Amino acid sequence: MKNFSVLVLVLLIISCAKKEIIVSEIPFEFGINNAEPNLVEQDGMLSLSWVNSIRGEKATLLYSQLENDTWKKPTTITSGADWFVNWADFPANATNGDVLLTSHLQKSASGTYTYDVVLNLRKLNGEIIKENFLLNTDGMKAEHGFVSIIPNLKEGFFVTWLDGRKTVMDMKVSHHKAMTIRTAEVSKEGTIFNETQVDGRTCDCCQTSITVTENGPLIVYRDRSNTEIRDIYYSEQINGIWNEPKPVFNDNWKINGCPVNGPKVVAKNKTIAVAWFTAAEGDPKVKIAFSTGAKANFKAPIILNDVDAIGRVDVAFINEEEVLVTYIETDETTTYLRCKKVSLSGETSKAFTISEIDSSRSTGVPQLEIIENVAYVVWTISVNKKQQIKSVKFQLEGI
């Protein structure tokens, strides 16, 4: 009996011990001066777009897919010498079947914040469908950017972006006037339709995010009240109509400038998860909130960071009951790219450190996707003072 008890104890210890998590690097061997990555999973396939550029010279938008843990030879989507290249406002990409839609930013005038959103539509085999066409058709020399793209329920795409057409009405204070958020659809032939202004006053330069629920598309973004409260809002399209925007949660973060730190939304069946950064009352936090009803209605948020948060979040579903959230946080000596597993019931795992990371803007916004219980993460690093993309993977078992 004593030996049996010892055996049971040993088995319990073994079963409770978590598997060691090994972060494996996926080689990215496509020269230098690569940055602004955007990682997207669709139908079990990982797609990556990024910009290769040298300041003041030509910029090139590149695209690759991961196959057998190897990045395929990149495809050049387009290039130009008059682009707006920025760590926070990076190009977007999405696939729908065998069709790929990408975005980039092209200067429309000499002003710092005068640029348009340019789209390219092609098949994954390289066949060009429509080249270098404008998403914003207002003709205003203003800021347009922070694009998010997802496939729609047909053969095209939903697109959302921040639009500055109203800021040019008074050029003396143009950069201080509020941006708006707009949505549209892009057909598989490149026709833009169903363009709508969803919110007429938003934060200037935080990333947008879009997902599709059982009801239809849902966008999240950082709002901007008349008193400079800049919290995370959402709007859901039901029966073709965009609902009045509502707060995911009232952090009541009052800030007189844009924090350049947008939210991320994902959906699985009726469950929606939104992760975001706030520094209300001078206390930086990373939060996540869930909605599980027939219509979006978010529960009280869960705080994730253990030390001072920097943010730059991403989130992906592991299964129907759990998500993984990536974020950046820092202590007195080091900055870390970390992740936590969060369940719908509110349980959170201990933080897992993916990597130490540079806290500067050159790191960009780390990107997360999950396929078959494996997490894939990409971000920008510096190698011999040149920008380069780092891509890694790790098993979720053990977190």
Side-chain angles (χ1 to χ4, degrees), residues 301-321:
I302 302 160
I303 299 171
L304 297 182
N305 56 294
D306 298 306
V307 291
D308 283 345
I310 292 177
R312 304 188 210 169
V313 302
D314 205 347
V315 58
F317 273 94
I318 301 171
N319 50 53
E320 292 187 355
E321 298 293 324

Side-chain angles (χ1 to χ4, degrees), residues 272-372:
I272 309 165
V274 177
W276 74 95
F277 170 83
T278 182
E281 299 181 356
D283 187 9
K285 288 183 171 65
V286 168
K287 297 183 177 183
I288 185 168
F290 294 104
S291 171
T292 56
K295 293 184 180 180
N297 186 18
F298 290 92
K299 301 174 183 177
I302 302 160
I303 299 171
L304 297 182
N305 56 294
D306 298 306
V307 291
D308 283 345
I310 292 177
R312 304 188 210 169
V313 302
D314 205 347
V315 58
F317 273 94
I318 301 171
N319 50 53
E320 292 187 355
E321 298 293 324
E322 297 174 311
V323 298
L324 190 72
V325 183
T326 54
Y327 55 94
I328 301 176
E329 63 180 11
T330 185
D331 59 23
E332 294 84 357
T333 60
T334 310
T335 302
Y336 307 92
L337 174 57
R338 284 180 167 149
C339 65
K340 279 187 178 180
K341 182 168 62 176
V342 189
S343 70
L344 299 185
S345 64
E347 295 179 8
T348 63
S349 68
K350 290 184 178 180
F352 172 67
T353 299
I354 300 168
S355 176
E356 292 185 7
I357 194 168
D358 192 326
S359 63
S360 70
R361 292 181 171 186
S362 63
T363 299
V365 181
Q367 305 278 294
L368 164 72
E369 291 291 355
I370 294 174
I371 298 178
E372 296 181 349

Side-chain angles (χ1 to χ4, degrees), residues 92-94 101-104 117-121 133-136 145-152 156-162 181-187 191-198 208-212 217-219 237 242:
N93 80 82
L101 181 66
T102 64
S103 73
H104 68 276
V117 177
V118 181
L119 303 178
N120 273 270
L121 192 64
F133 59 105
L134 291 182
L135 171 62
N136 57 285
F146 296 96
V147 178
S148 295
I149 309 173
I150 53 170
N152 64 14
F157 302 86
F158 290 114
V159 185
T160 188
W161 73 99
L162 295 185
I181 188 165
R182 303 181 75 87
T183 66
E185 291 188 66
V186 181
S187 74
T191 301
I192 299 171
F193 60 103
N194 288 342
E195 183 178 341
T196 304
Q197 177 181 292
V198 178
T208 64
S209 188
I210 186 170
T211 190
V212 172
L218 180 145
I219 60 172
Q237 188 192 83
W242 287 97

